[in-house]
Amino acid sequence: MRFSTRDIALAAVIGAAYAALTMLLAPVSYGPIQMRVSEVLCILPLFMPVTTWGLFVGCAVANIISTAGIWDVIFGSLATLLACLCIQALGQRGRGSVSWLRIILAALMPVIWNGVIIGALLMWTITDTVFPNVNAAFWIIGGEVALGEAVVMFVLGIPLMRLLPEAPWFQKIVAEH
């Protein structure tokens, strides 16, 4: 896959926006109970596949200040990459609306990937001190992460996936990529 200078610039801007928004809202962006508002940007690969890579790098940068350390940089970024690759696969390039089924599936991708991967990561990093039962810890922590993702993706993400394709300025950006 070849990227133009414009594609790289768009990916960089999206990645920077993700990192900045995550860090700006740090009190709710990290930990087992988190609501990363920046995750709403994960809808963009549905319309512009190149944004997947910006979101991956932006997540890695944002996770540098995570209490889970290097593991969150690695596995948190991996969760975002996998979610965005799935969303990208659901998308369609160009103009036009996307079906409700694709929108709901796209909204579920960050919920599933982050719930499982970040739930396991956080369980591994805090289980010894908080939960005596590892199995219960995974379901509780993974469920908390998934719930925060679901709120962001269903309250903000789904309306944006329906509204953005109708906006002329967004249509212009998508047409250029």
Side-chain angles (χ1 to χ4, degrees), residues 49-104:
V50 71
T51 59
T52 293
W53 301 104
L55 290 162
F56 171 65
V57 172
C59 184
V61 170
N63 287 343
I64 289 171
I65 66 169
S66 168
T67 56
I70 189 67
W71 300 114
D72 203 12
V73 173
I74 295 167
F75 292 106
S77 305
L78 177 64
T80 295
L81 177 63
L82 292 171
C84 288
L85 287 171
C86 291
I87 292 168
Q88 179 180 325
L90 289 166
Q92 58 189 23
R93 190 152 171 87
R95 294 186 185 162
S97 62
V98 180
S99 73
W100 274 106
L101 177 61
R102 286 184 187 201
I103 286 173
I104 291 168

Side-chain angles (χ1 to χ4, degrees), residues 87-157:
I87 292 168
Q88 179 180 325
L90 289 166
Q92 58 189 23
R93 190 152 171 87
R95 294 186 185 162
S97 62
V98 180
S99 73
W100 274 106
L101 177 61
R102 286 184 187 201
I103 286 173
I104 291 168
L105 289 173
L108 282 172
M109 292 302 111
V111 174
I112 294 167
W113 286 107
N114 282 291
V116 171
I117 294 174
I118 304 306
L121 170 68
L122 293 174
M123 177 208 63
W124 181 63
T125 59
I126 67 173
T127 296
D128 293 340
T129 57
V130 180
F131 294 99
N133 182 330
V134 173
N135 192 24
F138 171 74
W139 289 108
I140 292 168
I141 296 170
E144 290 171 344
V145 172
L147 180 62
E149 285 286 331
V151 169
V152 170
M153 294 308 294
F154 284 84
V155 172
L156 299 174

Side-chain angles (χ1 to χ4, degrees), residues 14-25 28-30 34-44 55 58-59 62-63 80 84 149 152-153 156:
I14 297 302
Y18 181 100
L21 192 55
T22 302
M23 291 177 182
L24 181 68
L25 299 173
V28 296
S29 295
Y30 301 96
Q34 60 180 259
M35 193 170 318
R36 275 197 185 182
V37 177
S38 55
E39 284 287 306
V40 76
L41 295 172
C42 289
I43 68 165
L44 294 175
L55 290 162
C59 184
N63 287 343
T80 295
C84 288
E149 285 286 331
V152 170
M153 294 308 294
L156 299 174

Side-chain angles (χ1 to χ4, degrees), residues 1-16 48-55 57 176-177:
M1 176 180 268
R2 291 188 53 141
F3 296 114
S4 69
T5 304
R6 186 174 283 195
D7 289 337
I8 294 168
L10 176 65
V13 167
I14 297 302
M48 298 174 287
V50 71
T51 59
T52 293
W53 301 104
L55 290 162
V57 172
E176 292 172 355
H177 294 279

